[in-house]
Amino acid sequence: MLTPEQQARQLIDAQLSLAGWVVQDYKQLNLGAGAGVAVREYPTDSGPADYALLVDRKLVGIVEAKKEGTSLTAVADQTVRYQTSATKHAPRVAEQLPFGYEANGQEIRFADARDPEPRSRPVFGFHRPETLREWTRQLHTLRARLRTLPAVNANGLRDCQLEALRNLDVSLKDDRPRALIQMATGSGKTFTAVSFIYRLIKFAGAKRVLFLVDRGNLGRQTLQEFQQYTAPDDGRKFTELYNVQHLTSNQLDTVSKVTITTIQRLYSMLRGEAEFDAGNEERSGFELNGEAPQRPREVAYNPALPPEAYDFVVIDECHRSIYNVWQQVLEYFDAHLIGLTATPAKQTFGFFNQNLVMEYSHERAVVDGVNVGSDVYRIQTAITEQGSRVEKGSAIKRMERLTRKRRWETLDDDLTYAGTQLDRSVTAPDQIRTVLEKWKAVLFTELFPGREIVPKTLIFAKSDNHADDIVDLVREVFGKSNEFCKKITYAAEEKSDELIKRFRNDFHPRVAVTVDMISTGTDIKPLECLLFLRDVRSRVYFDQMKGRGTRVIAPSDLEAVTSDAPAKTRFVIVDAVGVTDSEKKDTESVERQPGTLGFEKLLHAVAQGNHAPAQLRSLAQRLARLDRQLTPDDRAAVQTQTGGTTVQQLAARLYDAVDPVKQEAEALRLAADEAQAAGLPAPAEADEAHWQQAEQALTERAVHLFDDPALRELLAKVHRQHDLIIDLVSKDRVLAAGFESRTSPEAAQEALARQRVDKFQAFIEAHKDEITALQLLHNQPYARRALTFGQVRELAQALRLDHPELTPEGIWTAYEQLEKARVRGAGPRTLLTNLISLVRFALRQTDTLTAYPLSVDERYHAWLTRQQQAGRAFSPEQLSWLGMMKEKAATSLSVEAEDFTLPPFVDQGGYARARQVFGLDLQALVDELNEALAA
């Protein structure tokens, strides 16, 4: 067997060979075998070096080899010793050989002794001989040249751009490997990037710069920025001075100084793929968040695109938490990494080593006139907030999602849906219409007073079907032609780039509806209005979406597309779904639970190699559900595609692959087969190796059919056939509309409290004729004996289903904040009985909001006073029992016979003792007390 050192040497040999080195033993030395030769055990005055690197027969460097697992940072001094040790015969490029590597088969570190402050750094692979030859011919290293960058020419730069360039210079001069520039949307991040790239090429001699973008259309925007950039010290355009290539194929132009591409295409090129579908570059990372696979994308050394191909990698829109998936791709090149974003997440700061060289917020940009601020106009409607109910017997439409074929149907049962289901499983055209009509009604009075032309508006929809409905209703509500409103999504018939260009530069369209396509990055300066018909829970994504409206525009340019707009001084967010109030997460992590992946993404995950047990189990469960919904034609189509395998069998195989019982049985079978082949008895237990083989075999059997894209598409198509219900019965109404005040945290808290109270009161109004407790409290507030605890529980359950955030304690706190002087007592606010007090106060049946236990206590003492005045006296023990009954009524509305079998009554002797204490009058007394204390 090979020793760990020998195993590491084999791996290092292979890594050197991949990089173009001819690996030889010293005794078999042949320097004519290639331009670069790596000689094992090369003699020096300090002993034999593990590898000596010779280029054109001259010694240029040393490789110090260690066994796998050795910490390489601790052995750099050994490398330096060999670099400075004398050698015989072969000429040296310098007294101290410039290039030193440490390697253990899994890691490689490198340092250039000629750097101002030589410091080893991790590299993906060894540099090619041609690279080291070129470096030895340079008078100064790149890191030395970075220390002599001239002062930034401030001509044509905003203050924030000038500060970013100066701070980046400092970071590069200090040899910080990663730097992050945070600049508000619209403040000129890309222009800043082109400016420092120009400086790095001209003054630091950067060989080549890679510019990574979030998606394809942003790459086209970036190319335009390079084409329009004028060198401040030269007067010529960037593209006149240097070649810039925007990759639309996997063929790299070797003479280009700048390469613009998406990380998706870069990954494809590193894998050696000849072609890459450009359609895969058009979706933002936000849409791919949680997309398959969630395991890191692994890359291998590619001689056609070696790690030293780029000196700098610029990562645009680097806000996404992509680094655990794409990290190896981003770290492949031996380059400085520079990130650009307006909205960094925690993962972003971590990836860039907390080296934030520029922080320029949206708020600061507004003050500086670089951005425009925003106003928020809220529109709340009954269906948006509460959903709706369509009674059985009503006619509704069903639409097949895939074909959009519609059919009428009569409901056999009531259809009840919550606001959160809107435009997912149910669409209510009147809800969309009501929002749009309200928006239209206030457009020229409250939002943009005195104007007559609809400002350029972007509407965010939940899905492509939702976007279609919105487009139709916008045209209907405004009475305009097709040109007035356009859908700009991946499913739009018209070419998206052309639509975006028209939306930006032409009078029509006035309104664009999108899902994700132009929610991030896309520059549309004339936008003055954003209408949200979808909620967003990612803080970073929401900030990106808002950023579409922040860009400033010259009055003349705005007038060219909106002739009655004197200037863009702010933009308006029309919030029709509560997106400005909903809780936001810092970021959407790609490490999402499998159950949160869409069905198609889950299929794609498994097909790409994500065979984690949780993924396979989730897909098995979904296929099992799908199997129960298949038509005979569906089943036949699947079996034809799979060669006879059913959906149920697909699900079963997936579950077998993660079932420990199946794994053990398979492991035992494999062990028995192996023992039989060796003429040995079958073992009683399988060892770890057989368990692993069993798991792998079961997994391969379960997943291999999903390699077929036609099968995946068929399954996805069948899955998408679920109908979308169209509610044409429910009529919506506006509950509230107006600008939100964000003057202070206190005002924001008050607004949130008002929103809770409004939602609660709207809930009561909407359900006063449906929920028994509300019927009794609304119509018969003094028929106290009719209300039971079960009815209050039903009320609480209905409230929780409609508004999970409206807990009794939360509503109570809201009233306390708004009307503190009219709130009495708190008590245990989690008591359901407090709902009675809340409902009565909301219905204005009481002047004060009094905690229900406090009300019961007051009624109890009033009853006792009446008893004493009537000459009825109670013994201390009787008063103790009456106090327990009062406490029970406070939490459960009344005292019932079965309560005497439970604590605290049973602890005092239960019903038998109560009969002894009160005699035959017990039941009459309980009934009397219930009536006196009841709600």
Side-chain angles (χ1 to χ4, degrees), residues 429-731:
D430 199 61
Q431 180 261 345
I432 303 172
R433 184 184 290 108
T434 299
V435 170
L436 294 176
E437 286 177 342
K438 183 62 180 178
W439 172 52
K440 179 187 177 185
V442 300
L443 193 54
F444 303 128
T445 56
E446 297 183 53
L447 306 186
F448 299 92
R451 303 260 291 267
E452 296 180 354
I453 298 173
V454 175
K456 289 282 185 175
T457 299
L458 184 61
I459 301 178
F460 294 110
K462 295 177 183 176
S463 64
D464 202 72
N465 284 326
H466 189 208
D468 285 332
D469 293 337
I470 293 170
V471 168
D472 284 343
L473 285 165
V474 168
R475 293 168 180 170
E476 174 190 315
V477 167
F478 282 87
K480 298 294 185 179
S481 68
N482 291 348
E483 292 302 305
F484 178 79
C485 180
K486 290 287 187 179
K487 180 178 76 168
I488 305 181
T489 69
Y490 301 104
E493 294 294 329
E494 298 179 68
K495 192 174 180 180
S496 59
D497 276 1
E498 181 60 31
L499 280 172
I500 292 171
K501 182 179 178 182
R502 286 165 49 197
F503 187 43
R504 179 190 295 123
N505 300 323
D506 299 347
F507 182 81
H508 279 128
R510 303 306 304 169
V511 180
V513 183
T514 191
V515 179
D516 290 295
M517 188 167 196
I518 51 177
S519 55
T520 64
T522 307
D523 178 9
I524 304 175
K525 292 180 179 178
L527 264 178
E528 293 185 88
C529 188
L530 304 178
L531 173 51
F532 281 85
L533 282 168
R534 64 174 288 194
D535 197 2
V536 181
R537 296 306 173 97
S538 163
R539 176 191 62 79
V540 173
Y541 194 17
F542 182 52
D543 287 345
Q544 283 286 312
M545 295 166 85
K546 288 192 299 182
R548 300 315 95 218
T550 63
R551 295 179 183 272
V552 296
I553 184 172
S556 58
D557 293 338
L558 178 61
E559 188 180 1
V561 294
T562 308
S563 57
D564 65 348
K568 182 177 177 180
T569 58
R570 87 328 182 203
F571 69 101
V572 176
I573 295 173
V574 180
D575 180 2
V577 292
V579 65
T580 54
D581 296 317
S582 63
E583 183 180 353
K584 301 287 186 287
K585 297 178 182 178
D586 182 70
T587 184
E588 289 289 338
S589 170
V590 294
E591 299 293 338
R592 296 166 67 183
Q593 293 300 314
T596 65
L597 280 180
F599 181 71
E600 291 182 61
K601 292 179 180 179
L602 194 53
L603 283 172
H604 203 51
V606 172
Q608 289 201 55
N610 193 344
H611 299 155
Q615 297 282 38
L616 300 185
R617 189 178 295 109
S618 179
L619 184 55
Q621 291 168 349
R622 297 195 197 192
L623 287 172
R625 287 200 298 268
L626 179 63
D627 182 63
R628 293 191 289 271
Q629 301 166 358
L630 296 179
T631 66
D633 288 344
D634 292 336
R635 295 182 190 280
V638 171
Q639 287 183 263
T640 298
Q641 189 64 41
T642 61
T645 305
T646 66
V647 171
Q648 192 278 328
Q649 289 170 333
L650 289 172
R653 290 177 185 177
L654 287 165
Y655 193 79
D656 286 350
V658 297
D659 183 354
V661 175
K662 295 289 185 181
Q663 291 173 350
E664 182 178 21
E666 179 67 10
L668 283 170
R669 186 190 67 78
L670 290 170
D673 289 349
E674 186 176 302
Q676 184 179 10
L680 299 172
E685 294 183 359
D687 59 21
E688 181 62 28
H690 289 114
W691 271 91
Q692 292 179 0
Q693 292 173 23
E695 185 177 351
Q696 182 177 354
L698 288 170
T699 299
E700 289 177 354
R701 177 173 179 266
V703 303
H704 80 277
L705 286 173
F706 297 108
D707 289 343
D708 180 6
L711 174 62
R712 298 198 304 271
E713 177 57 31
L714 175 60
L715 291 172
K717 177 181 176 181
V718 172
H719 187 267
R720 290 196 299 266
Q721 289 287 3
H722 296 313
D723 293 341
L724 177 70
I725 297 173
I726 304 174
D727 173 12
L728 298 172
V729 176
S730 297
K731 183 169 177 57

Side-chain angles (χ1 to χ4, degrees), residues 131-193:
T131 302
L132 299 190
R133 176 196 294 138
E134 181 182 347
W135 287 353
T136 58
R137 293 173 179 175
Q138 294 175 356
L139 187 60
H140 301 289
T141 68
L142 173 64
R143 284 161 177 76
R145 297 193 297 270
L146 287 173
R147 290 201 166 194
T148 61
L149 286 171
V152 179
N153 188 328
N155 291 337
L157 294 174
R158 293 170 174 161
D159 288 346
C160 60
Q161 296 168 336
L162 180 60
E163 182 181 351
L165 293 175
R166 287 173 173 170
N167 292 350
L168 179 62
D169 276 5
V170 172
S171 178
L172 293 173
K173 288 175 182 178
D174 290 342
D175 196 16
R176 301 286 293 273
R178 303 182 187 188
L180 177 63
I181 295 175
Q182 177 192 356
M183 294 175 65
T185 299
S187 59
K189 292 191 304 297
T190 309
F191 182 85
T192 303

